Amino acid sequence: MVGSVERVNHGVYSNGLIQNGNCSEEKLDQLREVLGKSKGDPLRIVGIGAGAWGSVFAALLQDSYGQFREKVQVRIWRRPGRAVDKSTAEHLFEVINSREDVLRRLIRRCAYLKYVEARLGDRTLYADEILKDGFCLNMIDTPLCPLKVVTNLQEAVWDADIVINGLPSTETRDVFEEISHYWKERITTPIIISLTKGIEAALDPVPHIITPTQMINLATGISMENILYLGGPNIASEIYNKEYANARICGSSKFRKHLARFLRQPHFIVWDNSDLVTHEVMGGLKNVYAIGAGMVAALTKESATSKSVYFAHCTSEMIFITHLLAEEPEKLAGPLLADTYVTLLKGRNAWYGQMLAKGELNLDMGDNISGKGTIQGVSAIEAFYELLSQFSLSVLHPEEQKPVAPVQLCPILKTLYTILIVREQSAEAILQALRDETLHDPRERIEIAQSLAFYRPSLLGQP
């Protein structure tokens, strides 16, 4: 089992990588040179959005490069005013007192007393306030390093060299439209790395997907050459605790190799890839099926057999859908499916499905859950269903030998839509979708996609 990366003799890590004490500064100097930064002008990196992954990503950069204060500044923006409820404050106090290093740090910073007062109900804490001390509201159990937090968006981004998008896909367009107003007088063009997994659906002039990087491009006018996506099979808290992980940064060749080297750490390996859209789409699609996986796990009391049956059917649907989106579907193996696997195993979308099936949450609570953040899979279900139900994208039904909308060959997606969006069925319907005696071998769905000219470039906004 892969565990934490620990230092052994001569600076060699247990994963075989060699750690040079000057490696971080060398990587920083190389990126500064690529971006044309002069001496005395720090590289300014800003995270936008302070969910679990956005906060961890900023903390990783702060841990790696924060010591070089004259060469780099790392800060994170989040909205002010989000209060921490008393039960969360009580839990946060328990976390602080269970970690001697965190307790000592807060005492040294004269910050411990406010957590005592919050536990007693004598004070209200705010999310931006605790983030400065290294606590993400969506990930209380994993203390981070202290972060420089900015609550004024203009102050955060106006001179940023690199912007990390950690916003939900449902908020990305609006926030970057606001950011574009602050960049009108800029001479240099910033680089944007999007961590966001989700899509929007658009039906005019033809049905097509809008990914987060495309949202940013449309909102700001910044060239796609400067907008990249980073994703991979990982859980934010485990990465910060130095579980070995990997990811891909995808986009134009102009910056991606330089950024991959800059972001790479002994326990977090970053590869680079040119296939931006496919990785983004798969990032959104896996959240869809993770909700169903959580439902199946809860309804069958974690039955390994039931979960494996679900995995077979949902991955065949994902492959079927991505054959519509990708000209070279063999690229969908490996890390892309691994990202699906880890999200089905342990992620907020799978957790959400479990809680719905257990009756501990209900749909009227919405898709923004306290302590977890936005459940991205909900909006993605609606977007994929809306797109794939368009008859203009029709495919030939294998038995009926007549054209049907692609969604008719995706029973899991259809069932999730009826449960979560139109609310015509309960969570138990997901089991019926698996047990339908007319359901074909998942391999047949893959063979259909592989044997026909399925690719629809128009779905990605391409001619």
Side-chain angles (χ1 to χ4, degrees):
M1 182 176 72
V2 177
S4 298
V5 179
E6 298 177 354
R7 185 181 296 275
V8 293
N9 291 337
H10 308 299
V12 180
Y13 283 76
S14 59
N15 61 5
L17 296 176
I18 298 176
Q19 174 73 2
N20 186 325
N22 298 322
C23 182
S24 292
E25 188 170 15
E26 290 173 2
K27 292 192 295 182
L28 175 57
D29 288 340
Q30 288 174 1
L31 186 61
R32 284 176 51 83
E33 183 178 354
V34 168
L35 300 184
K37 301 296 290 184
S38 59
K39 186 176 180 180
D41 182 17
L43 179 68
R44 296 174 177 86
I45 303 174
V46 178
I48 302 298
W53 186 211
S55 297
V56 163
F57 202 81
L60 289 173
L61 293 174
Q62 178 65 34
D63 281 337
S64 296
Y65 299 107
Q67 60 184 304
F68 309 113
R69 297 179 182 178
E70 295 182 358
K71 295 183 178 182
V72 65
Q73 294 177 357
V74 179
R75 56 188 187 266
I76 187 167
W77 171 84
R78 71 154 295 136
R79 295 181 180 89
R82 176 74 180 274
V84 178
D85 61 55
K86 189 174 185 295
S87 63
T88 302
E90 291 172 347
H91 181 55
L92 180 55
F93 185 76
E94 293 174 1
V95 171
I96 291 169
N97 284 281
S98 69
R99 293 278 299 267
E100 184 178 346
D101 57 330
V102 176
L103 179 61
R104 289 182 179 277
R105 168 162 59 80
L106 291 175
I107 292 173
R108 285 197 303 269
R109 292 164 59 95
C110 300
Y112 180 65
L113 181 59
K114 65 185 178 186
Y115 294 97
V116 176
E117 293 173 341
R119 175 183 176 272
L120 296 173
D122 296 336
R123 175 177 179 156
T124 299
L125 295 171
Y126 292 91
D128 56 292
E129 176 185 14
I130 67 172
L131 188 60
K132 294 176 183 178
D133 294 325
F135 302 107
C136 171
L137 188 58
N138 294 344
M139 197 176 56
I140 292 296
D141 291 314
T142 305
L144 309 174
C145 65
L147 292 170
K148 170 66 176 177
V149 180
V150 182
T151 55
N152 181 289
L153 186 58
Q154 182 175 7
E155 178 187 347
V157 303
W158 73 275
D159 62 348
D161 298 299
I162 299 175
V163 173
I164 313 297
N165 176 33
L167 295 163
S169 60
T170 49
E171 299 178 20
T172 292
R173 185 192 295 269
D174 289 344
V175 173
F176 275 88
E177 283 179 350
E178 182 179 348
I179 288 173
S180 69
H181 298 312
Y182 310 136
W183 284 347
K184 286 182 178 178
E185 306 300 323
R186 285 192 65 131
I187 298 174
T188 59
T189 303
I191 294 171
I192 300 170
I193 302 173
S194 180
L195 311 178
T196 303
K197 297 173 179 178
I199 70 160
E200 286 183 357
L203 302 182
D204 294 322
V206 295
H208 63 282
I209 283 171
I210 304 175
T211 66
T213 59
Q214 292 170 333
M215 295 175 201
I216 294 168
N217 167 255
L218 293 169
T220 63
I222 289 177
S223 168
M224 289 300 295
E225 190 175 54
N226 281 57
I227 306 174
L228 302 99
Y229 165 75
L230 185 139
N234 46 61
I235 300 295
S237 60
E238 294 180 353
I239 289 177
Y240 197 73
N241 288 328
K242 290 185 169 49
E243 295 283 345
Y244 181 81
N246 49 58
R248 284 175 170 174
I249 188 162
C250 307
S252 165
S253 60
K254 183 177 181 180
F255 295 116
R256 70 171 192 265
K257 290 186 180 295
H258 300 293
L259 290 168
R261 175 172 169 77
F262 177 71
L263 298 173
R264 187 176 299 131
Q265 299 183 19
H267 68 280
F268 183 59
I269 304 305
V270 180
W271 301 310
D272 70 284
N273 191 284
S274 63
D275 196 348
L276 170 66
V277 174
T278 300
H279 283 76
E280 273 196 289
V281 169
M282 283 291 284
L285 197 55
K286 54 94 178 178
N287 285 334
V288 167
Y289 291 98
I291 294 178
M295 291 177 177
V296 170
L299 292 169
T300 64
K301 295 181 171 55
E302 300 291 340
S303 162
T305 300
S306 296
K307 289 192 288 186
S308 66
V309 170
Y310 179 83
F311 187 77
H313 285 295
C314 81
T315 51
S316 73
E317 287 191 20
M318 293 178 74
I319 293 170
F320 176 84
I321 292 169
T322 49
H323 270 73
L324 291 167
L325 303 169
E327 191 169 13
E328 300 179 28
E330 66 272 13
K331 291 183 178 180
L332 304 176
L336 283 171
L337 289 180
D339 196 5
T340 300
Y341 178 67
V342 74
T343 306
L344 268 60
L345 281 177
K346 182 180 179 181
R348 75 180 70 176
N349 290 276
W351 172 87
Y352 181 71
Q354 286 184 319
M355 294 300 102
L356 286 177
K358 291 178 179 179
E360 296 181 26
L361 292 177
N362 64 69
L363 295 175
D364 291 333
M365 294 177 178
D367 58 2
N368 193 299
I369 307 299
S370 177
K372 291 291 182 179
T374 301
I375 309 301
Q376 297 273 24
V378 177
S379 62
I381 287 169
E382 186 170 15
F384 278 112
Y385 183 91
E386 185 176 13
L387 282 170
L388 300 180
S389 62
Q390 300 301 309
F391 193 74
S392 61
L393 302 171
S394 63
V395 297
L396 191 65
H397 193 285
E399 288 186 341
E400 300 176 10
Q401 292 298 302
K402 66 178 184 180
V404 296
V407 76
Q408 298 304 319
L409 299 181
C410 300
I412 304 272
L413 176 60
K414 285 177 59 181
T415 302
L416 289 171
Y417 181 81
T418 62
I419 295 171
L420 292 161
I421 307 303
V422 296
R423 305 186 185 186
E424 293 177 350
Q425 294 179 293
S426 65
E428 284 76 9
I430 198 71
L431 296 183
Q432 185 57 41
L434 293 183
R435 295 167 179 168
D436 187 345
E437 63 181 17
T438 65
L439 201 63
H440 296 280
D441 185 330
R443 179 62 191 169
E444 294 179 19
R445 185 179 295 107
I446 298 172
E447 289 175 347
I448 292 168
Q450 292 174 335
S451 62
L452 300 175
F454 261 30
Y455 177 45
R456 302 289 194 276
S458 61
L459 266 174
L460 300 179
Q462 301 172 8

